[in-house]
Amino acid sequence: MKLKYFVLMMSLLMGPFLVSAAGKYTQLRDLRVEYKKNPLGIGTSSPRFFWKITSDVPGQMQTAYQLLVATTPGKLAPGKADLWDSKKVGSDQSIQVAYQGKVLESRQRCYWTVKIWDKDGKEVKAVSPAYFEIGLLEESDWQADWIRSAQVFTEYSYPSPLLRKEFTLAKKIKSARLYVTSLGLYEFRLNGTKVGDEMFTPGWTSFKNRLQYQVYDVTGLLTTGNNAAGVVLGNGWYRAFNPNSNRNREITPLEVLAQLEIEFSDGSRQVVKTDNSWKASTGAILKSEIYDGEIYDARLEKSGWDKPGFDDKTWLGTAAISRGKSNLVSAVSEPVRRIEELTPVKIIVTPGGDTVVDMGQNMVGWCRLTLNCPAGTTIKLRHAEVLDKKGNFYTENLRTARQEIVYTCRGGGAEVYEPRFSFQGFRYVAVSGYPKPVTTDMIRGIVVHSDLERTGSFSCNEPLLNQLQHNIIWGQKGNFLDVPTDCPQRNERLGWTGDAQVFAPTACFNMNSAGFFTKWLYDLAADQHEDGAVPHVIPNVLGRGGSSGWADAAVVVPWVMYRSYGDTRILEEQFVSMKKWVEFMRKQAGDTYLFKPKDRQFGDWLAFATTRSDYPGATTDKDFLSTAYFYHSADLLCRMAVILGKKQEAADYGELQQKIKEAFIREFVTTNGRLSSNTQTAYVVALSFGLLPPELEKNAASRLAQDVNSFGHLTTGFLGTADLCHVLARYGYLAEAYKLLYRKEYPSWLYPVTKGATTIWERWDGIKPDNTFQNAGMNSFNHYAYGAIGDWMYKVVAGINAGLPGYKSIVIKPFPGGKMNDVACSHETLYGTVSSAWKITDNRFVLTVSIPANTSAEIYVPSTGRTLKQNGMDQTQAEWITPEGTAYGFLKTRAGSGDYVFESDYMPGK
């Protein structure tokens, strides 16, 4: 009886799961729809389902599943599910399972659950039901009008409009949803409270083609009786400064579209919408700019303006605008949010006399001020990434971006202020106008970025490399603010395609970037030119594009998403866009199959350069790179056509890539494997893309290694850096790869770390060895592209690789080298956590591995002997493999899910 009671209590504590012999358990967790937990407002009627299996049963696998989708939780049972009952499906698929039930309609709330059958045929049920809600799928679903303030502004930087409306709800409220978007940024408020915790809504997209709306559950913010709605608008990206033009900016009105739908307990409904009955005024935000900052005068605040009963008799009216809504789309990425707070590490008085707050970290966001000053006291904050050689505040690299916050106090007590519609990239904050000594407790750094789930970790016994990993993460945080920007501080902050495509594998390892890149790719397709050319930046604010290695993001990023998440839908959705870009190159190449673009080319951007005659730089021929990327994109497109079952396209692009390869070899390769561009990047690209005949690969790799050893360092730019160490290690030059990783002098990954960097730099020598700066016109200290080395650290140093797409099968194959003797790395896949940690102690290599349920793995254990222990037992089935270029071999074994400790002999010096 006591045993039964114990089992019952454990079941209640841990949720429904299968209890088997010896206390083994299997349970389902982390139920998601379209990568999100219980999402509202999804924009598809065919959503995809995901679930994870947790088990301490070795080798646990799913053999079948049954999905149930219903209109109420009570109907989630076989034979009762009124939207979809998949029945029992014999399959191990637990990610990307597409809905196949009844047609789903706008606003529909759906509950779902899943059960599986494990490897022994036993049922395992989900812990609790999940839900999702459909957004507004049709243009006709929108009843609201676009509205703008009736006030006419004659200057570009005008005060942020305030719009408000009061309304009455006469019945008991069951539920309420707010659907809202804007031209400009919005903050929506109900009864004095901000709706949601999202920032910079509706986000940055190709506004003419795709304008996102958000959906909020606002049931708890409304009350029976009188209510008030309010909106604050800011310029945002919609009216942002054009970074490459001095022409006058248009004075485009800011607008909002909002539809508040309330369902009452008796089943009746009421809609409160934007129309010309709303009132408008301005308040304390006198200026809000993405690049320049915010000016806020607290004396102009209108207390209670967003609450019922406020006197708005003096407010102006609003104008309803006749504007179509066919471009409205639901948000697919995780929103921007406040993520964390930083406390200043010290206060500095510079030689130039500035009082400067050091946040200790180059960050993106803003400062929260806590003040108590007389009315009219005006405080200015200026933001910078670095101090100069003398220790003075340095802003020249911001170009024309002001990055200033100006706050005027209302007086009369404590005041707390944060900007709403502007963000800064900074570590240092110069404070002026404050009438008291500046202290660390009056200011906090508020870090904001797209709220992407952190999925990757890496650490080792080398502190400088741990700082490098830290810098990679913070570079991604700072530049993944709704779009993958190049930098977050100067008058640019644009979604450069080349930066994104080289960093995408690292990004997808460290954070769940599926929705983030999906959104961005939709905009890429929307902004793509009719002839197939892909703009340099997405969203496109620069006009033309078509630069090789940049435009190829159209093909490369979907491929990375497929490999990272097993996502075939993104391949299908982007196939036309990918094909247009390859066809654009084919048309320009003609019968020569050599792509020599007519548009501006960036080439191997910011490759190593020097003015020393005895120490040459490294410029790779742009025609070489263009044809190489022509081949690469055709190759990937061929593979994706095969995956999607597009046989004709697969045959066509397979033939095309072969012709490109033949032309490339004739034009750029000698008979002994020397390339016409004798640079590291040229050899990396040719070998990484598979452009050389097999018999010449060894010679080419040898030339690459010779160049690395001759220089003693890397010479690559944006296009060559990501795969440099991969290619060296693949062809047996692991020592050279580790040599580059460990190098501390310029140019190297660790050189910025030795200079105190807390993010990845744009240039290898943003701060020169003599502590002067590189060219201020192009010198960001938060630029993630060179952080692409992370992918090599995770895949080769730690050894975590996706065997099948989405990590359905996993390859663990660490390559120890250099001074590395203690590494720990993990990645949260869509199936669960995979980890690889290894140590070298007492001539033993100890590898600790965790493989999630419903996956399997091939595990390669480095060894200089032929004996292998697995969890303390001799493993006699291991296969011995000897790779080229290492002082050790590998013992290869296979494993199902579970936790393992492998030990092998390891004496590489003997």
Side-chain angles (χ1 to χ4, degrees):
M1 187 68 182
K2 289 182 179 180
L3 178 60
K4 291 182 178 179
Y5 176 76
F6 173 77
V7 172
L8 175 61
M9 290 304 296
M10 290 299 294
S11 299
L12 292 173
L13 288 171
M14 299 182 67
F17 59 83
L18 176 68
V19 177
S20 58
K24 298 294 184 180
Y25 75 90
T26 299
Q27 70 182 69
L28 305 184
R29 65 179 180 91
D30 203 7
L31 275 61
R32 300 190 183 208
V33 173
E34 291 300 307
Y35 298 102
K36 297 181 179 181
K37 296 179 181 180
N38 299 330
L40 298 181
I42 62 174
T44 176
S45 58
S46 179
R48 293 163 295 175
F49 300 92
F50 305 73
W51 58 89
K52 292 177 181 175
I53 303 167
T54 301
S55 178
D56 63 355
V57 177
Q60 186 62 285
M61 294 289 291
Q62 171 187 302
T63 57
Y65 70 83
Q66 183 175 12
L67 267 165
L68 301 173
V69 186
T71 53
T72 66
K75 294 181 180 179
L76 288 176
K80 294 184 178 180
D82 54 348
L83 293 176
W84 185 36
D85 182 345
S86 71
K87 308 299 183 182
K88 184 177 181 179
V89 179
S91 169
D92 62 357
Q93 185 179 3
S94 58
I95 68 170
Q96 309 285 357
V97 179
Y99 176 82
Q100 298 178 44
K102 293 181 180 178
V103 175
L104 301 178
E105 300 176 348
S106 296
R107 306 176 180 84
Q108 189 162 5
R109 188 177 181 92
C110 307
Y111 297 88
W112 71 284
T113 190
V114 62
K115 69 176 177 180
I116 69 163
W117 285 261
D118 71 2
K119 67 176 183 176
D120 298 318
K122 297 177 181 178
E123 289 187 16
V124 184
K125 296 181 180 179
V127 174
S128 59
Y131 64 84
F132 61 94
E133 206 167 279
I134 304 297
L136 302 183
L137 301 179
E138 306 294 336
E139 186 176 2
S140 59
D141 292 325
W142 289 94
Q143 303 173 38
D145 297 322
W146 280 103
I147 63 171
R148 65 175 64 152
S149 171
Q151 185 173 354
V152 177
F153 299 97
T154 58
E155 296 182 0
Y156 175 80
S157 293
Y158 58 74
S160 287
L162 306 179
L163 298 92
R164 73 181 307 274
K165 180 182 177 64
E166 295 195 24
F167 55 95
T168 301
L169 303 177
K171 303 176 182 179
K172 185 178 179 181
I173 301 164
K174 178 182 178 182
S175 66
R177 296 291 181 271
L178 173 66
Y179 303 87
V180 58
T181 187
S182 60
L183 295 175
L185 301 177
Y186 73 82
E187 178 182 289
F188 204 97
R189 305 184 68 83
L190 283 172
N191 296 326
T193 300
K194 181 183 184 298
V195 173
D197 59 359
E198 303 180 10
M199 311 297 298
F200 296 101
T201 48
W204 191 12
T205 55
S206 174
F207 294 127
K208 291 182 180 179
N209 302 296
R210 300 183 63 257
L211 178 60
Q212 293 183 139
Y213 66 88
Q214 283 73 40
V215 184
Y216 304 95
D217 182 347
V218 294
T219 308
L221 297 180
L222 298 174
T223 184
T224 301
N226 296 329
N227 294 266
V231 184
V232 189
L233 298 177
N235 284 344
W237 296 284
Y238 178 66
R239 300 180 68 242
F241 170 69
N242 185 331
N244 289 333
S245 173
N246 292 320
R247 59 184 169 82
N248 293 329
R249 295 165 287 175
E250 297 179 0
I251 306 173
T252 311
L254 302 174
E255 300 177 13
V256 65
L257 175 75
Q259 192 162 298
L260 176 60
E261 300 185 358
I262 303 101
E263 181 181 0
F264 298 107
S265 296
D266 64 1
S268 62
R269 304 177 69 88
Q270 181 176 337
V271 177
V272 178
K273 59 184 182 179
T274 47
D275 55 26
N276 59 12
S277 67
W278 286 55
K279 294 290 196 72
S281 185
T282 58
I285 302 178
L286 303 182
K287 171 184 175 179
S288 72
E289 302 278 359
I290 289 290
Y291 300 108
D292 287 349
E294 188 164 295
I295 299 176
Y296 190 97
D297 189 339
R299 297 170 300 179
L300 301 178
E301 291 174 343
K302 290 179 167 59
S303 179
W305 72 274
D306 53 358
K307 297 179 180 179
F310 178 79
D311 184 359
D312 61 9
K313 293 187 179 65
T314 61
W315 284 40
L316 300 174
T318 55
I321 307 302
S322 177
R323 184 188 302 280
K325 305 178 182 71
S326 61
N327 65 329
L328 298 183
V329 296
S330 66
V332 297
S333 177
E334 294 294 341
V336 177
R337 290 189 173 99
R338 294 178 180 85
I339 303 299
E340 58 190 296
E341 293 186 12
L342 298 184
T343 299
V345 296
K346 59 183 173 180
I347 306 294
I348 302 167
V349 177
T350 69
D354 288 316
T355 299
V356 174
V357 179
D358 180 3
M359 303 306 302
Q361 170 66 50
N362 196 3
M363 56 166 282
V364 175
W366 53 74
C367 290
R368 183 178 68 226
L369 291 175
T370 301
L371 308 165
N372 193 333
C373 296
T377 302
T378 297
I379 296 143
K380 179 186 285 189
L381 305 182
R382 295 181 295 135
H383 302 77
E385 295 183 289
V386 292
L387 303 179
D388 69 14
K389 184 177 182 178
K390 296 180 180 179
N392 285 314
F393 202 69
Y394 180 79
T395 59
E396 190 177 353
N397 71 317
L398 302 180
R399 302 194 299 215
T400 63
R402 297 182 66 86
Q403 279 213 135
E404 291 181 349
I405 299 297
V406 180
Y407 179 79
T408 300
C409 299
R410 81 174 75 87
E415 304 175 42
V416 179
Y417 163 76
E418 293 183 29
R420 278 186 174 90
F421 302 128
S422 182
F423 63 88
Q424 290 77 51
F426 66 99
R427 172 174 173 171
Y428 299 98
V429 186
V431 182
S432 59
Y434 187 61
K436 308 172 187 178
V438 175
T439 59
T440 57
D441 60 348
M442 64 176 276
I443 191 167
R444 289 291 182 270
I446 308 301
V447 179
V448 302
H449 55 81
S450 291
D451 191 9
L452 308 184
E453 176 191 4
R454 180 75 179 274
T455 55
S457 69
F458 176 91
S459 64
C460 68
N461 57 290
E462 173 52 67
L464 292 179
L465 290 176
N466 292 337
Q467 183 64 43
L468 175 63
Q469 169 67 4
H470 171 98
N471 295 0
I472 291 169
I473 295 296
W474 276 87
Q476 185 171 353
K477 287 180 179 182
N479 285 292
F480 273 38
L481 199 157
D482 207 53
V483 301
T485 58
D486 59 328
C487 61
Q489 73 299 88
R490 68 187 180 216
N491 64 332
E492 192 167 359
R493 314 185 191 189
L494 304 177
W496 282 95
T497 48
D499 305 47
Q501 71 94 356
V502 297
F503 187 68
T506 299
C508 290
F509 187 93
N510 282 322
M511 299 181 189
N512 187 335
S513 304
F516 182 84
F517 276 130
T518 296
K519 166 191 173 289
W520 188 71
L521 286 170
Y522 288 168
D523 287 313
L524 187 150
D527 279 344
Q528 192 170 8
H529 298 292
E530 285 298 319
D531 63 359
V534 176
H536 300 318
V537 299
I538 301 297
N540 182 21
V541 297
L542 297 184
R544 191 57 183 171
S547 180
S548 295
W550 269 252
D552 296 275
V555 181
V556 173
V557 177
W559 176 255
V560 171
M561 291 183 61
Y562 169 68
R563 291 294 304 166
S564 299
Y565 306 114
D567 193 335
T568 57
R569 181 172 292 183
I570 195 66
L571 305 186
E572 188 69 59
E573 291 174 332
Q574 296 298 120
F575 196 81
V576 171
S577 170
M578 294 188 280
K579 188 174 177 179
K580 283 176 64 177
W581 167 239
V582 173
E583 290 302 322
F584 171 84
M585 292 188 284
R586 190 198 318 232
K587 183 176 180 181
Q588 288 203 12
D591 293 339
T592 69
Y593 297 99
L594 299 172
F595 180 41
K596 300 181 178 181
K598 301 173 184 177
D599 297 293
R600 179 188 177 188
Q601 299 296 297
F602 298 111
D604 190 30
W605 189 250
L606 296 182
F608 171 74
T610 179
T611 57
R612 286 175 50 181
S613 59
D614 63 332
Y615 207 45
T619 300
T620 306
D621 177 60
K622 292 177 181 178
D623 288 347
F624 177 103
L625 289 171
S626 294
T627 299
Y629 266 95
F630 181 23
Y631 173 85
H632 186 47
S633 282
D635 176 36
L636 293 180
L637 188 57
C638 175
R639 297 190 212 183
M640 289 184 272
V642 171
I643 292 164
L644 296 174
K646 298 179 182 290
K647 295 182 180 179
Q648 184 58 50
E649 285 96 337
D652 180 27
Y653 291 113
E655 181 181 353
L656 173 63
Q657 71 178 87
Q658 184 59 38
K659 290 180 178 178
I660 300 168
K661 184 173 183 176
E662 292 169 358
F664 179 90
I665 293 171
R666 287 194 302 269
E667 184 79 2
F668 301 115
V669 186
T670 68
T671 55
N672 64 355
R674 181 183 175 91
L675 304 182
S676 59
S677 274
N678 194 38
T679 65
Q680 291 177 20
T681 289
Y683 288 101
V684 167
V685 167
L687 289 165
S688 178
F689 293 174
L691 271 162
L692 302 181
E695 65 272 16
L696 295 184
E697 288 183 358
K698 187 174 181 178
N699 284 348
S702 175
R703 290 181 181 277
L704 171 61
Q706 289 172 17
D707 195 80
V708 168
N709 287 320
S710 175
F711 275 100
H713 59 74
L714 54 74
T715 64
T716 50
F718 279 27
L719 298 185
T721 296
D723 282 342
L724 173 58
C725 287
H726 278 297
V727 170
L728 287 169
R730 188 177 306 142
Y731 286 94
Y733 297 100
L734 184 67
E736 282 76 7
Y738 268 103
K739 175 181 177 180
L740 296 180
L741 182 66
Y742 271 96
R743 179 180 166 86
K744 300 180 182 66
E745 299 78 22
Y746 161 75
S748 68
W749 287 286
L750 293 186
Y751 170 74
V753 175
T754 67
K755 289 292 186 179
T758 60
T759 45
I760 300 297
W761 292 355
E762 179 177 22
R763 292 178 177 269
W764 294 118
D765 60 341
I767 299 176
K768 299 178 182 179
D770 64 0
N771 289 324
T772 60
F773 293 120
Q774 256 287 359
N775 185 341
M778 191 73 64
N779 199 22
S780 161
F781 293 98
N782 194 348
H783 226 86
Y784 57 65
Y786 286 143
I789 183 61
D791 185 60
W792 187 78
M793 293 159 61
Y794 318 141
K795 290 180 178 176
V796 178
V797 177
I800 296 178
N801 297 267
L804 291 174
Y807 295 86
K808 178 61 176 171
S809 72
I810 297 159
V811 177
I812 303 293
K813 191 175 185 180
F815 283 80
K819 296 174 286 185
M820 204 79 73
N821 59 31
D822 189 347
V823 172
C825 186
S826 69
H827 178 58
E828 183 68 18
T829 75
L830 294 177
Y831 295 96
T833 304
V834 55
S835 65
S836 170
W838 57 264
K839 291 184 179 183
I840 301 172
T841 55
D842 300 327
N843 296 326
R844 302 291 289 170
F845 189 95
V846 181
L847 175 63
T848 303
V849 173
S850 182
I851 304 299
N854 206 31
T855 69
S856 59
E858 288 184 350
I859 300 172
Y860 296 76
V861 185
S863 178
T864 55
R866 302 282 179 115
T867 60
L868 177 67
K869 289 185 180 295
Q870 176 179 321
N871 294 348
M873 303 293 289
D874 289 337
Q875 168 60 271
T876 59
Q877 302 300 315
E879 176 185 356
W880 177 254
I881 297 172
T882 306
E884 187 175 352
T886 63
Y888 48 82
F890 288 97
L891 289 161
K892 175 185 175 183
T893 187
R894 291 175 173 81
S897 64
D899 299 322
Y900 303 94
V901 178
F902 298 94
E903 292 185 47
S904 68
D905 296 323
Y906 191 80
M907 293 180 286
K910 295 187 177 181

